[in-house]
Amino acid sequence: MTGLSMSLVRGAVTSPFKRAGRPGATLPAGREILPPGRVPPGPLAAYSRVCGFAESGPLPLTYPHVLGFPAAMRLMTAHDFPLPVLGLVHTWIEITGHRALHPTDELELTVYAAGLSPHRRGTEVTVVTEARLAGELVWESRSGYLSRHPTGAATTPPATPPAPPAAPPELPAVAEWRLPAGLGRRYGAASGDRNPIHLHPVTARLFGFPRHIAHGMWTVARCLAEAGGGNAADEPGRIRSVRADFRAPVPLPSTVTYAADGVAFQVRGGSRVHLTGRVTREV
C-alpha cells in the first residue's frame, strides 16, 4: 500500500472522531517536508498525457502540487489536524511559479496549514505548498478546503431575503471536451490521488455523489494546457500564476466547454459553470 493510500485509510479511521467547527480548534504547527529529489519520469509523462501538456520541456505549473499532495494528505489526516478529511471539499487554489522548473530540478517541498477561517457553510482551512531549489523559493500554492457543518447562524429568515450571488459572465467558447467515464482512474493513476469519489459510480455514491466526478486539479491543469502556457519556458507569455475557484463538480462521463477571453477562463456544462479562473502571464 502506498503512502497516499495509507493516508486515505488513516483519514477514514480518524474522521469520525473529529468535530468540525469545534470552538478553540487550532492547526498543527508542524510542517511536512519532502527532501530534494528529481521527478520520476514515468508518472510525469502519464500526467502530461492525461492533462494535455507537452511531454518534454519544463514542468507543468500544476505538477509541484501533485508532488506535494502526499505530504498534504499526511498533514490533513494526522491526529492533531482539527477537521475530518472525509468530506473536505477543495474550493479554490492559487499557484505562482517564480521561475520555470524542469524535471531535473531537485525540489524540496514543504507543506503546512496556514489558517482556519469561518465560512457560510462551515470552516475552511488554507493549506500551503512551497517548492525550493537550493534554498530559493521557486514555486508556491495555496489551497482552500471546506469542511461543511452547521455554523450556528440564526435560522429565522431575514425580512428581505438576500439576492442570489451573480452568475459569472459567460466567456466565449474555445473548445469542447468529451470526458470519458475512466478519466478519474487515469488521472488517479498518474497523480496518485485515488479518492473514491473520482473512480467509480459505486464508490462515489458512498460519499453522497450520484456519479463519480472529475478531479478538480485535473480540470485546472487541462485549462492551463489548453491555454498553451502551462509548461512554457521563462519567456514572454509564460503563465506565471493562476487562481481557480471550483464552483460545481464535473460528473463523469460528460461533455464540457472550455471558454476563455484574455486572462479569464471557465469550464461549463450546459448552463452550469463548474470552474472559473484567471491567469497572469510573463510580460
Side-chain angles (χ1 to χ4, degrees), residues 185-278:
R185 295 187 289 276
R186 282 189 62 204
Y187 182 83
S191 68
D193 183 358
R194 293 182 173 88
N195 188 320
I197 65 174
H198 303 301
L199 304 182
H200 296 278
V202 173
T203 55
R205 282 195 287 270
L206 295 175
F207 295 90
F209 293 89
R211 293 154 62 184
H212 56 313
I213 61 175
H215 292 74
M217 285 307 300
W218 174 87
T219 313
V220 174
R222 185 68 187 87
C223 288
L224 294 183
E226 189 73 41
N231 58 346
D234 272 325
E235 58 188 20
R238 177 181 78 95
I239 294 178
R240 185 177 185 273
S241 65
V242 61
R243 160 78 188 217
D245 292 273
F246 306 107
R247 300 175 64 91
V250 178
L252 296 173
S254 65
T255 298
V256 297
T257 297
Y258 167 77
D261 184 9
V263 299
F265 63 89
Q266 61 188 203
V267 174
R268 302 192 300 262
S271 61
R272 193 175 198 187
V273 177
H274 297 288
L275 176 145
T276 59
R278 296 180 67 84

Side-chain angles (χ1 to χ4, degrees), residues 48-118:
S48 297
R49 284 193 296 271
V50 74
C51 296
F53 292 113
E55 293 185 42
S56 61
L59 288 180
L61 183 64
T62 48
Y63 200 66
H65 181 87
V66 173
L67 296 175
F69 188 68
M73 283 299 298
R74 287 197 299 272
L75 177 81
M76 293 189 287
T77 58
H79 289 287
D80 57 350
F81 190 79
L83 304 178
V85 72
L86 292 184
L88 275 184
V89 179
H90 198 180
T91 50
W92 57 270
I93 186 167
E94 295 176 345
I95 300 175
T96 300
H98 299 293
R99 48 159 287 186
L101 301 177
H102 301 270
T104 54
D105 290 335
E106 298 193 3
L107 300 175
E108 179 185 80
L109 297 170
T110 303
V111 180
Y112 59 95
L116 291 171
S117 57

Side-chain angles (χ1 to χ4, degrees), residues 119-189:
H119 186 281
R120 61 188 176 86
R121 293 183 177 178
T123 300
E124 189 173 75
V125 61
T126 299
V127 176
V128 178
T129 303
E130 298 173 341
R132 287 177 169 80
L133 189 59
E136 176 191 357
L137 180 66
V138 292
W139 181 99
E140 58 188 313
S141 74
R142 300 176 67 85
S143 287
Y145 295 92
L146 173 64
S147 180
R148 296 179 179 176
H149 60 81
T151 60
T155 57
T156 303
T160 303
E170 187 169 292
L171 302 177
V174 174
E176 184 177 87
W177 302 336
R178 296 182 180 180
L179 312 185
L183 175 62
R185 295 187 289 276
R186 282 189 62 204
Y187 182 83

